[in-house]
């Protein structure tokens, strides 16, 4: 529980398919917690929403985190990532009716992103005030001389598993390009903070943004620049990377030529079609308070009430993978990760555990299983060998 709202985190995941399965598993776990609590209360007073705004000025983040090598200066990561992150909302935005941003003109219609209204600076360690495009928190939960953790708080809470996969998968590819020195010179923006809000108000991705060099560029052009770089360096290396490259290209192509095709897999586009039909049937405008209520209900994770859940049940949403994969993720940690060690500790030694954290397991007898240097599958196997007497 963090500042009055519940949070769920996935375990460490080594590929996008695992990550999406565990993110969706988290929704099921939280939904079950809510059901049990309502059962105890004898009513349905608790409703849980996977979103980023309450429409009265509060925002709560959806954080994506990446382990990156410390050898490269942090400024290089920031420079390479910023234009990409500003425009990532073209497919990663969860959609939002109206605005809570006071810096730009009033806006009543559908935005791409819920979070963009609340981004205030390029760099900051803060998460509740002065929210940045790139957070500077440096808690790697790993060998600190080798790694740092890139902590991004600007993203939306996607209901669509497809959108989650694209959001995190494309970011991973760009980080790979930066880390390997294959990105080259990026189209730097003159005012990234203002641009992130301007991009959110344009569902077409074509409104021009000012660059540092005095020229202009569209959000779509920025995304296509990054896509081309990723295709040149990351193709045919991993199954999940090939999926990301293929779907990234398809999504940008659909946005440019046939944006209606996005309405089965990109959250803001699903909302656009759904809300347009609803407003027509009820004779409403975007500024009707009912629209914000409908927007909120889209994110309800209760399968009996949530609008997105209803669309899934009707077969109108892209099926990323079978539901059995999600059920498995509720009980099984990702292969080749140190989450396996924590899981085995709970399975075999729960009564002996004093404290458990990302970096290790502390036992009542004073012993400690240090996981800070357990990153690769090979290191996981070695750590399991050391723990074999406990886990029998």
């Amino acid at each position: 529980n963090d500042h009055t709202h519940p949070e769920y985190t996935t375990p460490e995941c080594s590929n996008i398919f695992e990550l999406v399965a565990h993110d969706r598993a988290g929704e099921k776990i939280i939904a079950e917690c809510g059901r049990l609590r309502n059962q105890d209360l004898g009513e349905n007073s608790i409703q849980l929403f996977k979103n980023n705004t309450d429409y009265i000025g509060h925002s709560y983040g959806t954080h994506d985190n990446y382990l990156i090598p410390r050898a490269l200066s942090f400024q290089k990561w920031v420079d390479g990532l910023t234009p990409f992150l500003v425009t990532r909302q073209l497919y990663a935005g969860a959609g939002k009716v109206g605005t809570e941003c006071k810096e730009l003109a009033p806006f009543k219609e559908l935005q791409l992103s819920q979070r963009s209204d609340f981004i205030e600076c390029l760099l900051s360690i803060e998460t509740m005030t002065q929210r940045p495009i790139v957070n500077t928190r440096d808690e790697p939960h790993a060998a600190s001389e080798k790694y740092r953790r890139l902590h991004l708080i600007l993203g939306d809470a996607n209901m669509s598993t497809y959108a989650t996969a694209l959001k995190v998968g494309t970011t991973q590819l760009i980080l790979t390009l930066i880390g390997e020195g294959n990105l080259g010179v990026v189209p730097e923006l003159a005012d990234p903070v203002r641009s992130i809000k301007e991009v959110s108000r344009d569902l077409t991705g074509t409104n021009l943004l000012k660059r540092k060099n005095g020229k202009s560029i569209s959000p779509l052009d920025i995304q296509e620049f990054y896509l081309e770089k990723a295709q040149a360096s990351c193709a045919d290396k991993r199954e999940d990377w090939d999926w990301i490259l293929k779907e990234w290209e398809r999504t940008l192509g659909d946005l440019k030529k046939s944006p209606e095709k996005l309405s089965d897999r990109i959250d803001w586009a699903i909302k656009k079609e759904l809300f347009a039909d609803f407003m027509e049937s009820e004779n409403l405008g975007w500024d009707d308070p009912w629209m914000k209520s409908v927007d909120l209900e889209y994110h309800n994770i209760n399968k009996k009430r949530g609008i997105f859940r209803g669309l899934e049940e009707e077969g109108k949403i892209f099926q990323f993978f079978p539901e059995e994969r999600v059920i498995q993720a509720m009980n099984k940690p990702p292969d080749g990760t140190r989450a396996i060690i924590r899981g085995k500790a709970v399975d075999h030694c729960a009564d002996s555990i004093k404290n458990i954290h990302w970096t290790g397991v502390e036992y009542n007898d004073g012993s400690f299983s240090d996981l800070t240097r357990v990153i690769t599958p090979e290191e996981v196997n070695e750590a399991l060998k050391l723990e074999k007497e406990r886990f029998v």
Side-chain angles (χ1 to χ4, degrees):
N1 184 50
D2 183 71
H3 296 284
T4 75
H5 63 266
E7 287 191 348
Y8 166 83
T9 178
T10 68
E12 305 92 330
C13 295
S14 57
N15 69 73
I16 296 304
F17 302 140
E18 288 276 18
L19 177 73
V20 173
H22 282 274
D23 182 62
R24 186 60 180 266
E27 292 179 34
K28 286 187 156 307
I29 291 167
I30 295 293
E32 178 64 5
C33 291
R35 187 192 70 81
L36 291 172
R37 182 59 176 154
N38 281 328
Q39 181 176 286
D40 290 344
L41 295 171
E43 56 187 71
N44 288 320
S45 59
I46 292 176
Q47 296 297 321
L48 296 159
F49 303 88
K50 186 186 181 189
N51 79 331
N52 302 99
T53 179
D54 64 358
Y55 285 109
I56 55 173
H58 303 113
S59 181
Y60 23 91
T62 297
H63 302 177
D64 41 320
N65 296 275
Y66 308 83
L67 198 68
I68 58 176
R70 188 172 293 278
L72 195 63
S73 75
F74 190 63
Q75 191 60 50
K76 287 190 179 295
W77 299 105
V78 174
D79 292 343
L81 269 177
T82 298
F84 167 77
L85 292 175
V86 167
T87 55
R88 186 180 71 169
Q89 56 189 304
L90 289 176
Y91 44 83
K96 176 182 178 176
V97 175
T99 183
E100 293 170 82
C101 172
K102 298 178 181 179
E103 299 170 25
L104 303 183
F107 186 84
K108 298 177 181 179
E109 299 179 17
L110 185 70
Q111 290 195 63
L112 292 173
S113 169
Q114 296 193 354
R115 195 68 165 153
S116 292
D117 275 350
F118 301 94
I119 299 301
E120 300 168 81
C121 58
L122 176 60
L123 295 171
S124 168
I125 198 171
E126 302 296 333
T127 58
M128 309 250 334
T129 61
Q130 288 297 302
R131 296 183 179 99
I133 294 174
V134 179
N135 190 274
T136 57
R137 180 184 296 176
D138 188 6
E139 299 174 1
H141 303 319
S144 58
E145 73 278 9
K146 292 175 63 178
Y147 304 106
R148 70 176 295 147
R149 175 163 62 108
L150 180 68
H151 183 57
L152 300 178
I153 70 165
L154 81 163
D156 283 5
N158 296 106
M159 296 300 292
S160 165
T161 51
Y162 179 100
T164 299
L166 265 192
K167 174 178 68 179
V168 180
T170 54
T171 308
Q172 184 190 29
L173 292 181
I174 301 311
L175 290 172
T176 300
L177 292 177
I178 296 170
E180 295 179 351
N182 292 325
L183 182 57
V185 179
V186 303
E188 292 183 282
L189 296 169
D191 188 346
V193 176
R194 184 179 180 87
S195 292
I196 203 169
K197 297 172 172 62
E198 292 175 341
V199 172
S200 187
R201 294 178 175 213
D202 169 31
L203 303 187
T204 69
T206 58
N207 286 359
L208 297 179
L209 306 173
K210 293 182 180 179
R211 296 177 59 181
K212 272 190 176 181
N213 63 8
K215 298 181 180 179
S216 298
I217 189 171
S218 75
L220 256 173
D221 285 340
I222 290 175
Q223 280 293 312
E224 287 178 340
F225 163 84
Y226 282 101
L227 170 61
E228 290 172 5
K229 292 290 186 178
Q231 288 171 326
S233 295
C234 301
D236 301 320
K237 292 185 177 180
R238 285 175 40 166
E239 180 187 2
D240 59 335
W241 287 9
D242 286 341
W243 184 92
I244 294 159
L245 290 170
K246 174 187 171 186
E247 296 303 319
W248 190 5
E249 181 177 30
R250 177 165 79 108
T251 293
L252 294 182
D254 285 347
L255 179 58
K256 182 185 292 186
K257 298 176 182 177
S258 307
E260 69 279 0
K261 291 183 179 179
L262 301 176
S263 62
D264 69 339
R265 63 191 194 275
I266 301 299
D267 285 298
W268 68 260
I270 298 170
K271 286 184 177 180
K272 181 185 177 184
E273 181 177 278
L274 180 72
F275 293 176
D277 291 344
F278 180 73
M279 287 189 294
E280 182 178 359
S281 66
E282 299 292 337
N283 194 27
L284 303 175
W286 283 108
D287 57 347
D288 192 294
W290 200 355
M291 293 311 301
K292 290 182 179 179
S293 296
V294 174
D295 192 358
L296 182 62
E297 208 63 34
Y298 176 91
H299 296 269
N300 194 325
I301 62 174
N302 184 327
K303 63 181 181 181
K304 294 181 180 179
R305 287 186 49 166
I307 294 175
F308 180 85
R309 289 285 174 263
L311 294 172
E312 278 190 320
E313 290 291 321
E314 294 172 9
K316 295 181 178 179
I317 302 297
F318 177 88
Q319 188 72 23
F320 192 81
F321 42 50
E323 192 69 3
E324 292 76 24
R325 180 84 178 265
V326 178
I327 302 300
Q328 182 186 48
M330 292 174 69
N331 299 284
K332 182 180 179 295
D335 291 335
T337 71
R338 62 188 181 184
I340 293 173
I341 301 170
R342 293 196 304 268
K344 284 185 175 292
V346 173
D347 284 343
H348 295 274
C349 321
D351 293 340
S352 303
I353 295 174
K354 180 179 180 181
N355 186 36
I356 191 164
H357 193 259
W358 294 104
T359 55
V361 183
E362 182 183 359
Y363 294 94
N364 293 329
D365 63 6
S367 59
F368 181 72
S369 298
D370 185 1
L371 302 181
T372 55
R373 297 186 179 278
V374 180
I375 303 297
T376 67
E378 294 75 20
E379 290 164 344
V380 171
N381 288 334
E382 286 300 313
L384 284 171
K385 290 177 183 177
L386 294 174
E387 300 286 341
K388 64 180 179 180
E389 291 186 4
R390 293 188 194 273
F391 302 155
V392 292

